[in-house]
Amino acid sequence: MSNILVTRSSMPDYSEYCEEIKKLWDSHWLTNMGIEHKTLQYELEKYLDCPHVVLYTNGHLALENVIAAMQFKPGSEVVTTPFTFASTTHAIVRNGLVPIFCDVNDYDYTIDVDKIEALITDKTVAIVPVHVYGNICDVERIQSIADKHNLKVIYDAAHAFAVKYKGVSSANFGDASMFSFHATKVFNTIEGGAVCFKDDTLVSIMNDMKNFGIRGPERVVFVGGNAKMNEFQAAMGICNLRHLDDEITKRKKVMERYRQHLENTEGIKLCKERDNVESNYAYFPVVFDGYKYSRNVVFERLAEKGIGARKYFYPITNSFECYVDYPTAGVEKTPVAAYLADRVLTLPMYADLELSDVDRICDIIKR
Ligand code: T4K
């Protein structure tokens, strides 16, 4: 039996991708906002129903750059959560800002909105919440807190591509949202990412950030870097976008099969979904609390059988070695995130995962 990993990149047919990149051999135009880049940007603005989508070479640089674009004073504080991938916290810190870790709720593992205000000081400039696993944060409460305290809201929406809340695309909440188009994501451009927003004035700065601040052959207006998406990445995105809705439908079937097996199992907790959310079924996290085996034992048993579940997200970012000297670090300050990190396992989830494989995975867990 072949190994099953936590996810498997979605790819178009080989011939479809070859057809899409054929024009690159004709033009020899490989990067710097060529035709594929322009087409993908246009397609995504339509798909996400968002006025501005700026493409990036990966999600992390997209997040780092959108935070930089806000031009916060160095040393300012940003309220965020540690139950996330390293990228979220690193993007804040690499901008010279101080992450203030807020706990998550034990319902859908997004930021606990009841705990945000107590963390706000006169140094706070922004909230960077994470739509973890594709679960949409309480965007209404977050916005009202931000409005009250005059803070920016930048969503790490790396997991939430194509998710809608009350019919509104996840690209449209807060001041900006970052998506990751990494190979492991519901929608991929091999590596890639985007910043999405409504504010027209952000367009030029986000473009300057990713292309050296170059505005014309003889004009450089800003000290930007290089974070452009290339034509091969964009071509992959154009192809993958054509099949995305089908992929999400297939993911839904995988999720339903897992739920049939695992729901109402003593000691196993499944993530709850907020009302009015259209999900992308990005991940299938399971929390082992009082189950007959610990998370780590289940992880090892699955691995012995060739099944690569993952401990997303363990360790949490406020326990990383690189943050030990930060006064705001320490898992004891975020007990729910610490509890989850010790108990959660994300099970294999991708569109082409066979339902019989889901049966096998659940059988191993239950035995
Ligand atoms: N914010 C959040 C909340 C994020 O989760 C991420 C990324 C970011 C920001 C930053 O976005 P990017 O800059 O990455 O665009 C993976 C991904 O590398 C990372 O993108 C992702 N989050 C994170 C949650 O997962 P690893 O170290 O677990 O990946 P890896 O290489 O172990 O791959 C996991 C599985 O995916 C493999 O077992 C098989 C499958 N896979 C992997 C690759 C690389 C494929 O099927 N194809 C592939 O090409 O970090």
Side-chain angles (χ1 to χ4, degrees), residues 55 57 88 96 100 106 137 202 212 244-245 275 286 293 327 329 347-348 355 357 367:
L55 300 176
T57 192
T88 320
I100 303 295
D106 65 358
C137 300
L202 255 186
F212 307 106
L244 184 66
D245 291 342
D275 287 342
V286 173
Y293 306 107
L347 300 181
L355 296 183
D357 284 329
R367 272 190 290 123

Side-chain angles (χ1 to χ4, degrees), residues 5-9 58-61 84-85 87-88 130 156 158-159 178 180-185 191-192 283 310 312-313:
L5 298 176
V6 68
T7 191
R8 197 174 73 167
S9 297
N58 59 56
H60 176 77
L61 284 174
T84 183
F85 193 56
S87 171
T88 320
V130 183
D156 180 334
H159 299 179
M178 176 281 289
S180 164
F181 304 152
H182 184 263
T184 54
K185 295 294 183 281
E191 288 261 9
Y283 293 84
R310 291 293 285 269
Y312 293 138
F313 287 99

Side-chain angles (χ1 to χ4, degrees), residues 116-254:
I116 296 176
E117 282 200 281
L119 298 172
I120 293 175
T121 69
D122 55 3
K123 285 187 171 172
T124 312
V125 289
I127 309 174
V128 176
V130 183
H131 296 311
V132 68
Y133 304 134
N135 296 336
I136 293 292
C137 300
D138 187 341
V139 288
E140 286 137 344
R141 287 275 307 281
I142 291 170
Q143 197 57 56
S144 73
I145 294 168
D147 291 343
K148 182 171 156 199
H149 297 273
N150 195 24
L151 307 175
K152 298 282 186 197
V153 182
I154 301 162
Y155 282 102
D156 180 334
H159 299 179
F161 187 83
V163 179
K164 285 186 180 162
Y165 173 62
K166 292 189 176 165
V168 178
S169 151
S170 55
N172 284 318
F173 300 116
D175 294 277
S177 297
M178 176 281 289
F179 293 112
S180 164
F181 304 152
H182 184 263
T184 54
K185 295 294 183 281
V186 170
F187 167 72
N188 85 76
T189 60
I190 308 172
E191 288 261 9
V195 179
C196 302
F197 48 90
K198 290 184 255 183
D199 178 2
D200 300 339
T201 62
L202 255 186
V203 177
S204 57
I205 186 156
M206 290 315 302
N207 283 319
D208 288 343
M209 287 269 179
K210 73 173 191 186
N211 189 28
F212 307 106
I214 295 174
R215 291 274 179 91
E218 299 183 4
R219 191 161 172 241
V220 179
V221 300
F222 183 84
V223 190
N226 181 1
K228 296 172 299 243
M229 176 180 281
N230 71 45
E231 292 290 276
F232 290 85
Q233 291 173 285
M236 185 63 120
I238 292 167
C239 295
N240 278 336
L241 195 60
R242 293 184 192 125
H243 307 285
L244 184 66
D245 291 342
D246 287 346
E247 296 258 316
I248 291 176
T249 305
K250 287 198 211 162
R251 282 173 173 271
K252 183 171 187 212
K253 294 203 169 102
V254 172

Side-chain angles (χ1 to χ4, degrees), residues 15-66:
S15 57
E16 185 180 346
Y17 187 62
C18 289
E19 190 55 39
E20 192 61 45
I21 59 174
K22 215 165 153 192
K23 54 191 98 147
L24 306 181
W25 264 260
D26 298 332
S27 67
H28 287 240
W29 192 274
L30 306 182
T31 186
N32 287 9
M33 285 74 79
I35 183 73
E36 297 296 292
H37 182 289
K38 289 193 179 84
T39 305
L40 180 63
Q41 181 185 324
Y42 172 75
E43 295 289 336
L44 288 178
E45 284 170 356
K46 265 195 314 179
Y47 187 86
L48 295 169
D49 192 23
C50 182
H52 303 298
V53 173
V54 178
L55 300 176
Y56 270 78
T57 192
N58 59 56
H60 176 77
L61 284 174
L63 184 61
E64 207 172 289
N65 282 3
V66 70

